[in-house]
Amino acid sequence: DLAGRSIGELSGGQMQRVFIGRALISKPQVLILDEPGTYVDNRFEQELYQLLERISSETSILLVSHDIGQIVSSVRTIACVNRYLHYHPSNQITEEILESYNCPIDLITHGHVPHRVLPTH
């Protein structure tokens, strides 16, 4: 039902879908995504990360995100930049990793993601 609309008539989330689809159509060897979950609703965000997980078997994906809690269960390795590049060869987030950034980072999540709970929130 959106096929006849111009890109200017699409919502932010719909445009994200178009851009990701356009990037995937050529079956790239590497897919670089900068905040792909921006402007998408929660339902599609889950579908997006499931899709990326499926295509990662054929395509290398470099994904930039500020929401580490959202992506940590979907990635194989993590590289963080805060003045310096910190590369972690796994997706396990430890307290030591969080403290290495000299920046207050608190990760609150539930499920299979390592987490810590703040004393008050």
Side-chain angles (χ1 to χ4, degrees), residues 33-100:
L33 301 171
D34 185 10
E35 299 284 352
T38 303
Y39 302 117
V40 299
D41 60 37
N42 289 337
R43 183 183 58 81
F44 178 68
E45 189 173 36
Q46 293 300 320
E47 292 175 22
L48 169 66
Y49 289 114
Q50 289 170 359
L51 170 66
L52 293 177
E53 194 168 334
R54 285 194 308 270
I55 66 170
S56 71
S57 64
E58 299 174 11
T59 303
S60 296
I61 300 174
L62 174 64
L63 187 141
V64 176
S65 178
H66 290 92
D67 188 358
I68 196 166
Q70 175 64 37
I71 66 163
V72 73
S73 62
S74 301
V75 299
R76 292 187 190 115
T77 64
I78 299 171
C80 296
V81 178
N82 184 13
R83 292 191 185 181
Y84 302 99
L85 174 64
H86 300 272
Y87 177 73
H88 310 287
S90 106
N91 68 346
Q92 298 300 309
I93 298 174
T94 64
E95 188 171 342
E96 179 183 326
I97 288 172
L98 292 176
E99 289 173 356
S100 70

